[in-house]
Amino acid sequence: MSLVSVVIPAYNEEDNIVVIIDRLECVFRQTELNVEFIIVDDGSTDKTALILKTMAKVKPNLYFIEFSRNFGHQIALKAGLDKAMGDCIISLDADLQHPPELIIEMLQKWQEGYEVVYTRRIEDKKLPFIKRKTSSLFYKTLNILSSIKIEEGTADFRLMDKKVIDVFRDLGENEPFIRGLVKWMGYSQFAIDYTPSSRFAGASKYNFRKMVKLALHGVTSFSIRPLYTAAYLGFIFSLLSVLYIPYVLYSFFMGIEVDGWASLIMTVVFFGGLQLIILGIIGIYVGKMFMQTKNRPNYIIRNTNLPNSN
Ligand code: UDP
Ligand code: MG
């Protein structure tokens, strides 16, 4: 009988853990499959870790990975994917926004032979306006600026076959952007649309700052197009300034007085800003190279009940 792993990253989700495991168990009772749960406690400061330890005592198929500190959602997910032993692995959020009942359909598609079954969130009116708009802007920018296309509303709620996970584990990226990597890996992928539920308990851990960071990270992980854009901008403005020279020379020799201050200060401020932005873009890529060359582990595990793990 096949084994299915369910990976859940959890950061301060004390009120959700028990409920989500319960719902998942209900779902898996309808199937003939074995299941193991791998819950990654991403440095929670509430009772998440304690609850997990207590649950693991009575549920032999529940494993927890406790990080030494908060490493972030993507890294927590990666840790779970690294350690899962199933023939296929399903990942979902701890807050029940991803309905566990959809798993039945995902498993059917997997049994039909699809290697990746991912989900697309249908535009949800319940979600705050700002969140909807920023999320849609995020995918639009990402797709304009990078070479792979990620569909709008695809979060980290998906099923991956063991062979896809094996490839994923060997990628060795320092800061993985999992959504993008899954698309990049290819294989036969199937999409299921769903309406997200609202968060069961607690608050969202993604604030505006974290979302901007994820967006920049997504773009710069998958493409060097921003660098090309910077270079093109440089060419365009150099060309424009060359066209400007005859005008300046003409005015000089004809003795025409040119009003300087306003145009000068505008150009200085504009180009000052532009140069800083471009420098920043280059800086992000250099920073990424710096982090990658250090070759540090993605995460540090303080405690786990997984077999063969330290
Ligand atoms: N999460 C995490 N580490 C973090 C932030 C979030 O493991 O630093 C987990 C969180 O517990 C949840 C999932 O990632 O299971 C998605 O987070 P959240 O629901 O806060 O994001 P949103 O749905 O608001 O985008
Ligand atoms: Mg959520």
Side-chain angles (χ1 to χ4, degrees), residues 7 9-10 40 42 67 70-82 91 93 138-139 150 154-158 168 173-182 206 210 213-215 217-218 221-222 298-299:
V7 170
V40 186
D42 187 12
F67 278 179
N70 179 255
F71 279 90
H73 175 202
Q74 295 289 294
I75 302 287
L77 197 57
K78 176 161 197 293
L81 297 177
D82 282 346
S91 58
D93 285 357
F138 167 66
Y139 288 104
I150 300 179
T154 48
D156 292 305
F157 180 23
R158 73 172 77 76
F168 176 79
E173 287 208 15
N174 184 265
E175 296 175 277
F177 181 60
I178 296 172
R179 255 159 258 195
L181 288 172
V182 171
Y206 271 95
K210 272 196 182 172
K213 202 171 153 206
L214 184 72
H217 178 53
S221 288
F222 275 90
N298 281 146
Y299 47 84

Side-chain angles (χ1 to χ4, degrees), residues 9-11 13 42 70 72-73 76 93-95 97 131 199 204-206 210:
Y11 178 47
E13 305 280 10
D42 187 12
N70 179 255
H73 175 202
D93 285 357
D95 58 3
Q97 277 184 312
K131 183 102 191 176
R199 193 171 231 289
S204 169
K205 273 82 197 175
Y206 271 95
K210 272 196 182 172

